[in-house]
Short mmCIF file of all heavy atoms in Angstrom, two decimals:
data_model
loop_
_atom_site.label_atom_id
_atom_site.label_comp_id
_atom_site.label_asym_id
_atom_site.label_seq_id
_atom_site.Cartn_x
_atom_site.Cartn_y
_atom_site.Cartn_z
N GLY A 1 -9.90 -15.23 4.79
CA GLY A 1 -8.70 -14.72 5.13
C GLY A 1 -7.79 -15.66 6.02
O GLY A 1 -6.55 -15.72 5.81
N ILE A 2 -8.40 -16.33 6.80
CA ILE A 2 -7.72 -17.32 7.68
C ILE A 2 -7.32 -18.47 6.84
O ILE A 2 -6.22 -19.08 6.99
CB ILE A 2 -8.62 -17.78 8.80
CG1 ILE A 2 -8.89 -16.59 9.72
CG2 ILE A 2 -7.95 -18.99 9.57
CD1 ILE A 2 -10.05 -16.86 10.78
N THR A 3 -8.22 -18.79 5.79
CA THR A 3 -7.86 -19.89 4.88
C THR A 3 -6.61 -19.56 4.01
O THR A 3 -5.66 -20.27 3.69
CB THR A 3 -9.02 -20.23 3.99
OG1 THR A 3 -10.13 -20.59 4.77
CG2 THR A 3 -8.70 -21.36 3.01
N LEU A 4 -6.52 -18.21 3.61
CA LEU A 4 -5.44 -17.75 2.85
C LEU A 4 -4.08 -17.81 3.73
O LEU A 4 -3.13 -18.15 3.17
CB LEU A 4 -5.61 -16.35 2.31
CG LEU A 4 -6.73 -16.21 1.34
CD1 LEU A 4 -6.99 -14.66 1.12
CD2 LEU A 4 -6.45 -16.89 0.12
N LEU A 5 -4.21 -17.46 5.02
CA LEU A 5 -3.07 -17.58 5.92
C LEU A 5 -2.62 -18.98 5.92
O LEU A 5 -1.38 -19.27 5.75
CB LEU A 5 -3.42 -17.05 7.30
CG LEU A 5 -2.44 -17.21 8.34
CD1 LEU A 5 -1.24 -16.33 8.01
CD2 LEU A 5 -2.93 -16.80 9.70
N ALA A 6 -3.51 -19.96 6.01
CA ALA A 6 -3.15 -21.42 6.20
C ALA A 6 -2.52 -21.86 4.77
O ALA A 6 -1.61 -22.52 4.75
CB ALA A 6 -4.43 -22.21 6.54
N ALA A 7 -3.12 -21.41 3.71
CA ALA A 7 -2.59 -21.83 2.40
C ALA A 7 -1.20 -21.28 2.15
O ALA A 7 -0.34 -21.96 1.59
CB ALA A 7 -3.63 -21.44 1.27
N GLU A 8 -1.08 -20.04 2.59
CA GLU A 8 0.31 -19.50 2.43
C GLU A 8 1.41 -20.25 3.16
O GLU A 8 2.56 -20.42 2.72
CB GLU A 8 0.18 -17.93 2.83
CG GLU A 8 1.62 -17.17 2.79
CD GLU A 8 1.52 -15.91 3.17
OE1 GLU A 8 1.21 -15.72 4.51
OE2 GLU A 8 1.64 -14.85 2.50
N GLN A 9 0.98 -20.68 4.37
CA GLN A 9 1.98 -21.42 5.11
C GLN A 9 2.19 -22.90 4.65
O GLN A 9 3.25 -23.34 4.99
CB GLN A 9 1.55 -21.41 6.66
CG GLN A 9 1.52 -20.04 7.27
CD GLN A 9 0.91 -19.90 8.56
OE1 GLN A 9 0.42 -20.77 9.17
NE2 GLN A 9 1.08 -18.82 9.22
N THR A 10 1.38 -23.37 3.96
CA THR A 10 1.46 -24.83 3.50
C THR A 10 1.82 -24.82 2.06
O THR A 10 2.90 -25.21 1.59
CB THR A 10 0.21 -25.58 3.79
OG1 THR A 10 -0.99 -25.00 3.20
CG2 THR A 10 -0.09 -25.75 5.29
N ALA A 11 0.86 -24.54 1.17
CA ALA A 11 1.06 -24.69 -0.32
C ALA A 11 1.51 -23.43 -1.03
O ALA A 11 1.89 -23.47 -2.17
CB ALA A 11 -0.24 -25.18 -1.03
N GLY A 12 1.27 -22.31 -0.36
CA GLY A 12 1.73 -21.03 -0.95
C GLY A 12 0.44 -20.36 -1.66
O GLY A 12 -0.44 -20.99 -2.00
N LEU A 13 0.59 -19.16 -1.91
CA LEU A 13 -0.40 -18.31 -2.60
C LEU A 13 0.16 -17.81 -3.98
O LEU A 13 1.42 -17.57 -4.03
CB LEU A 13 -0.83 -17.00 -1.77
CG LEU A 13 -1.52 -17.33 -0.48
CD1 LEU A 13 -1.86 -16.12 0.20
CD2 LEU A 13 -2.91 -18.21 -0.81
N PRO A 14 -0.68 -17.56 -4.96
CA PRO A 14 -0.15 -17.09 -6.25
C PRO A 14 0.55 -15.72 -6.15
O PRO A 14 1.37 -15.35 -7.01
CB PRO A 14 -1.31 -17.20 -7.25
CG PRO A 14 -2.51 -17.16 -6.33
CD PRO A 14 -2.08 -17.81 -5.04
N PHE A 15 -0.05 -14.87 -5.35
CA PHE A 15 0.56 -13.58 -5.04
C PHE A 15 0.15 -13.18 -3.54
O PHE A 15 -0.37 -14.07 -2.82
CB PHE A 15 -0.01 -12.50 -5.92
CG PHE A 15 -1.17 -12.98 -6.72
CD1 PHE A 15 -2.49 -12.85 -6.21
CD2 PHE A 15 -1.10 -13.24 -8.16
CE1 PHE A 15 -3.56 -13.23 -6.98
CE2 PHE A 15 -2.17 -13.52 -8.88
CZ PHE A 15 -3.40 -13.57 -8.29
N SER A 16 0.58 -11.95 -3.13
CA SER A 16 0.35 -11.59 -1.73
C SER A 16 -1.03 -11.73 -1.35
O SER A 16 -1.98 -11.70 -2.25
CB SER A 16 0.89 -10.26 -1.54
OG SER A 16 0.07 -9.29 -2.08
N VAL A 17 -1.37 -11.62 -0.15
CA VAL A 17 -2.70 -11.55 0.36
C VAL A 17 -3.41 -10.34 -0.17
O VAL A 17 -4.68 -10.46 -0.60
CB VAL A 17 -2.82 -11.56 1.97
CG1 VAL A 17 -2.32 -10.34 2.57
CG2 VAL A 17 -4.38 -11.91 2.37
N TRP A 18 -2.73 -9.30 -0.38
CA TRP A 18 -3.38 -8.11 -0.98
C TRP A 18 -3.81 -8.33 -2.40
O TRP A 18 -5.01 -7.98 -2.84
CB TRP A 18 -2.39 -6.93 -0.97
CG TRP A 18 -2.13 -6.48 0.42
CD1 TRP A 18 -1.01 -6.77 1.17
CD2 TRP A 18 -3.04 -5.68 1.25
NE1 TRP A 18 -1.03 -6.21 2.52
CE2 TRP A 18 -2.27 -5.54 2.52
CE3 TRP A 18 -4.21 -5.11 1.13
CZ2 TRP A 18 -2.70 -4.79 3.63
CZ3 TRP A 18 -4.68 -4.28 2.07
CH2 TRP A 18 -4.02 -4.15 3.35
N GLY A 19 -3.03 -9.03 -3.23
CA GLY A 19 -3.38 -9.40 -4.57
C GLY A 19 -4.55 -10.31 -4.52
O GLY A 19 -5.51 -10.24 -5.42
N CYS A 20 -4.54 -11.35 -3.65
CA CYS A 20 -5.58 -12.37 -3.54
C CYS A 20 -7.00 -11.57 -3.16
O CYS A 20 -8.06 -11.81 -3.86
CB CYS A 20 -5.38 -13.41 -2.61
SG CYS A 20 -4.04 -14.44 -2.97
N ALA A 21 -6.83 -10.67 -2.25
CA ALA A 21 -8.03 -9.99 -1.85
C ALA A 21 -8.58 -9.06 -2.92
O ALA A 21 -9.71 -8.82 -3.08
CB ALA A 21 -7.73 -9.13 -0.59
N PHE A 22 -7.60 -8.47 -3.70
CA PHE A 22 -8.09 -7.57 -4.78
C PHE A 22 -8.87 -8.44 -5.88
O PHE A 22 -9.86 -7.99 -6.42
CB PHE A 22 -6.85 -6.90 -5.52
CG PHE A 22 -7.15 -6.12 -6.66
CD1 PHE A 22 -7.73 -4.77 -6.56
CD2 PHE A 22 -7.14 -6.62 -7.95
CE1 PHE A 22 -8.08 -4.01 -7.60
CE2 PHE A 22 -7.54 -5.91 -9.16
CZ PHE A 22 -7.92 -4.59 -8.92
N ASP A 23 -8.35 -9.58 -6.15
CA ASP A 23 -9.07 -10.44 -7.20
C ASP A 23 -10.37 -10.79 -6.63
O ASP A 23 -11.50 -10.73 -7.40
CB ASP A 23 -8.31 -11.77 -7.38
CG ASP A 23 -7.04 -11.60 -8.29
OD1 ASP A 23 -6.94 -10.46 -8.74
OD2 ASP A 23 -6.37 -12.49 -8.40
N ILE A 24 -10.52 -11.18 -5.26
CA ILE A 24 -11.84 -11.43 -4.74
C ILE A 24 -12.76 -10.20 -4.78
O ILE A 24 -13.90 -10.30 -5.17
CB ILE A 24 -11.70 -11.99 -3.23
CG1 ILE A 24 -11.00 -13.33 -3.21
CG2 ILE A 24 -12.99 -11.98 -2.42
CD1 ILE A 24 -10.59 -13.72 -1.86
N GLY A 25 -12.28 -9.06 -4.49
CA GLY A 25 -13.08 -7.93 -4.47
C GLY A 25 -13.47 -7.41 -5.92
O GLY A 25 -14.68 -7.00 -6.13
N ALA A 26 -12.59 -7.57 -6.86
CA ALA A 26 -12.86 -7.45 -8.31
C ALA A 26 -13.94 -8.37 -8.82
O ALA A 26 -14.89 -7.83 -9.62
CB ALA A 26 -11.61 -7.50 -9.16
N VAL A 27 -13.79 -9.52 -8.49
CA VAL A 27 -14.99 -10.50 -8.89
C VAL A 27 -16.29 -10.06 -8.33
O VAL A 27 -17.31 -10.06 -9.05
CB VAL A 27 -14.48 -12.00 -8.53
CG1 VAL A 27 -15.68 -12.90 -8.67
CG2 VAL A 27 -13.36 -12.47 -9.34
N THR A 28 -16.34 -9.79 -7.06
CA THR A 28 -17.55 -9.48 -6.45
C THR A 28 -18.11 -8.14 -7.00
O THR A 28 -19.30 -8.11 -7.32
CB THR A 28 -17.33 -9.20 -4.96
OG1 THR A 28 -16.81 -10.43 -4.42
CG2 THR A 28 -18.61 -8.76 -4.25
N PHE A 29 -17.28 -7.07 -7.24
CA PHE A 29 -17.68 -5.93 -7.90
C PHE A 29 -18.42 -6.15 -9.24
O PHE A 29 -19.52 -5.61 -9.46
CB PHE A 29 -16.44 -4.97 -8.10
CG PHE A 29 -16.87 -3.71 -9.05
CD1 PHE A 29 -17.47 -2.71 -8.45
CD2 PHE A 29 -16.46 -3.78 -10.33
CE1 PHE A 29 -17.88 -1.56 -9.30
CE2 PHE A 29 -16.86 -2.65 -11.14
CZ PHE A 29 -17.52 -1.49 -10.61
N SER A 30 -17.68 -6.92 -10.08
CA SER A 30 -18.28 -7.17 -11.38
C SER A 30 -19.43 -7.98 -11.41
O SER A 30 -20.45 -7.54 -12.05
CB SER A 30 -17.14 -8.12 -12.24
OG SER A 30 -15.89 -7.40 -12.33
N LEU A 31 -19.65 -9.00 -10.69
CA LEU A 31 -20.84 -9.83 -10.63
C LEU A 31 -21.92 -8.98 -9.92
O LEU A 31 -23.15 -9.09 -10.35
CB LEU A 31 -20.54 -11.08 -9.83
CG LEU A 31 -19.62 -12.07 -10.50
CD1 LEU A 31 -19.47 -13.32 -9.61
CD2 LEU A 31 -20.21 -12.58 -11.85
N SER A 32 -21.64 -8.20 -8.90
CA SER A 32 -22.69 -7.34 -8.28
C SER A 32 -23.25 -6.30 -9.14
O SER A 32 -24.49 -6.10 -9.11
CB SER A 32 -22.13 -6.68 -7.02
OG SER A 32 -21.83 -7.70 -6.03
N LEU A 33 -22.38 -5.68 -9.96
CA LEU A 33 -22.87 -4.70 -10.88
C LEU A 33 -23.78 -5.28 -11.87
O LEU A 33 -24.89 -4.77 -12.29
CB LEU A 33 -21.62 -4.00 -11.58
CG LEU A 33 -21.96 -2.81 -12.55
CD1 LEU A 33 -22.66 -1.72 -11.75
CD2 LEU A 33 -20.67 -2.32 -13.22
N PHE A 34 -23.38 -6.58 -12.43
CA PHE A 34 -24.30 -7.28 -13.36
C PHE A 34 -25.60 -7.59 -12.69
O PHE A 34 -26.61 -7.46 -13.27
CB PHE A 34 -23.64 -8.55 -13.85
CG PHE A 34 -24.41 -9.42 -14.72
CD1 PHE A 34 -24.69 -9.09 -15.96
CD2 PHE A 34 -25.09 -10.65 -14.12
CE1 PHE A 34 -25.47 -9.99 -16.71
CE2 PHE A 34 -25.78 -11.45 -14.86
CZ PHE A 34 -26.03 -11.09 -16.26
N ALA A 35 -25.56 -8.03 -11.42
CA ALA A 35 -26.78 -8.43 -10.73
C ALA A 35 -27.64 -7.26 -10.48
O ALA A 35 -28.90 -7.38 -10.52
CB ALA A 35 -26.36 -9.08 -9.39
N VAL A 36 -27.20 -6.06 -10.15
CA VAL A 36 -28.03 -5.01 -10.06
C VAL A 36 -28.72 -4.58 -11.19
O VAL A 36 -30.08 -4.46 -11.26
CB VAL A 36 -27.28 -3.62 -9.53
CG1 VAL A 36 -28.15 -2.47 -9.68
CG2 VAL A 36 -26.65 -3.81 -8.13
N ALA A 37 -28.10 -4.66 -12.35
CA ALA A 37 -28.69 -4.44 -13.73
C ALA A 37 -29.78 -5.47 -14.02
O ALA A 37 -30.95 -5.14 -14.42
CB ALA A 37 -27.69 -4.55 -14.86
N ALA A 38 -29.59 -6.70 -13.77
CA ALA A 38 -30.48 -7.82 -13.85
C ALA A 38 -31.75 -7.55 -12.96
O ALA A 38 -32.88 -7.68 -13.41
CB ALA A 38 -29.95 -9.16 -13.68
#
């Protein structure tokens, strides 16, 4: 989150911090669900 803050202030983010966090959470959800099954 601190890295996202720094990136937003320098290079910018592709969307808001909420969108970035949603992507991170969605990736974790998907991979974790697969891992439980495995």
Side-chain angles (χ1 to χ4, degrees):
I2 296 166
T3 302
L4 293 176
L5 176 64
E8 181 181 62
Q9 293 173 354
T10 56
L13 295 174
F15 13 76
S16 73
V17 68
W18 295 99
C20 294
F22 178 81
D23 286 353
I24 292 167
V27 167
T28 301
F29 169 81
S30 302
L31 293 175
S32 295
L33 188 59
F34 174 77
V36 169

